[in-house]
Amino acid sequence: MSALDPPADMLAAHPETAYFWGRVAGDGDLTADCVTVRTNDGTAAERLAAVAGADDTVGGTGVDDRIVEREYAHDTSITRAEEEFTVQVFGDLADRASAAFGLPIDGQPGGYRLDTFDEHRRQLLRGLLEGCGTVCFKSSAGTVGISFVHDDRRLLERIDALLSAIPVAAPTGEVSESSSGGYWFGLADDAAPDVGPWLYEGSGGSGLFAPSRRAKLLRSLDRIDA
């Protein structure tokens, strides 16, 4: 099954669903009747909505035509406020996703059972990076910093384990408390030139990425070479 023929079930293992649920885990939440995911990239919002079955677009930018739109037994909407887009999927999907993947729902702790997406780890990690990851160019050292920040330490520990299983070296630091009261960990700076391109390899052909986030990461890596 290719990205042009996505599964009808949002809980099935597929590159599109891996990216979608990575984004939800990174910067989203589940309630009894709604899955919510946030992004500051309008194109990414439309792609996420298309994966979830939306049949319209927002802002006139259009959904990437490599993402096949289809209807599910739930409603999907996109709203925008101050350059942040919120994609919401209403119906029983939240309950089903919580049971299937261990995603936290209604403030309950999550177990993050994401093994379903082991064959699509790249897309899952790309969604997680775009959901709760940060990228910065460290001008003093001439390196690129990649880190993950979240309120749930268990999610960060799961991301750390996912990185340890990718085919390029991705050493990380310890998960620590952040100054904002949550948690964070960083990728070793010298691993960024390999991990960054690996995460976005093939993304142009699938449409499963936020253009602004990919551009920032690749532009930062280009500054190392310059």
Side-chain angles (χ1 to χ4, degrees):
M1 182 175 290
S2 70
L4 294 175
D5 184 23
D9 185 354
M10 282 292 290
L11 306 185
H14 186 272
E16 290 188 13
T17 52
Y19 175 72
F20 181 89
W21 291 115
R23 290 297 305 247
V24 171
D27 191 10
D29 52 71
L30 280 66
T31 59
D33 58 359
C34 183
V35 175
T36 299
V37 58
R38 291 168 288 271
T39 174
N40 60 8
D41 188 299
T43 301
E46 293 195 3
R47 290 170 177 171
L48 290 165
V51 171
D55 58 3
D56 57 7
T57 61
V58 63
T61 58
V63 176
D64 191 294
D65 59 12
R66 288 161 296 196
I67 302 294
V68 176
E69 298 176 6
R70 66 275 193 191
E71 294 184 1
Y72 293 137
H74 52 242
D75 298 322
T76 304
S77 70
I78 304 176
T79 56
R80 179 180 182 180
E82 297 182 356
E83 296 306 314
E84 180 178 90
F85 297 83
T86 301
V87 178
Q88 292 185 300
V89 186
F90 300 94
D92 67 351
L93 182 61
D95 274 330
R96 294 169 58 218
S98 178
F101 307 136
L103 298 180
I105 185 169
D106 287 329
Q108 298 300 310
Y112 301 103
R113 300 183 301 273
L114 303 174
D115 296 348
T116 296
F117 304 116
D118 279 353
E119 296 300 314
H120 310 294
R121 191 174 287 116
R122 191 197 314 267
Q123 291 81 9
L124 176 63
L125 278 167
R126 189 187 306 147
L128 287 162
L129 174 67
E130 293 181 358
C132 64
T134 63
V135 175
C136 67
F137 181 76
K138 303 178 181 179
S139 56
S140 60
T143 59
V144 173
I146 298 176
S147 59
F148 293 84
V149 183
H150 202 272
D151 290 339
D152 194 336
R153 183 186 186 105
R154 284 162 297 191
L155 176 61
L156 296 182
E157 291 170 345
R158 187 70 180 97
I159 296 172
D160 194 11
L162 288 167
L163 286 168
S164 71
I166 68 175
V168 297
T172 61
E174 295 291 328
V175 176
S176 305
E177 292 187 10
S178 68
S179 58
S180 61
Y183 301 90
W184 78 282
F185 76 91
L187 187 74
D189 288 353
D190 58 1
D194 292 324
V195 174
W198 180 86
L199 283 172
Y200 282 92
E201 182 180 337
S203 59
S206 70
L208 300 174
F209 67 99
S212 59
R213 293 301 303 276
R214 184 178 76 165
K216 179 179 181 180
L217 175 57
L218 298 183
R219 185 169 59 246
S220 297
L221 292 173
D222 284 343
R223 293 181 67 182
I224 298 176
D225 296 333

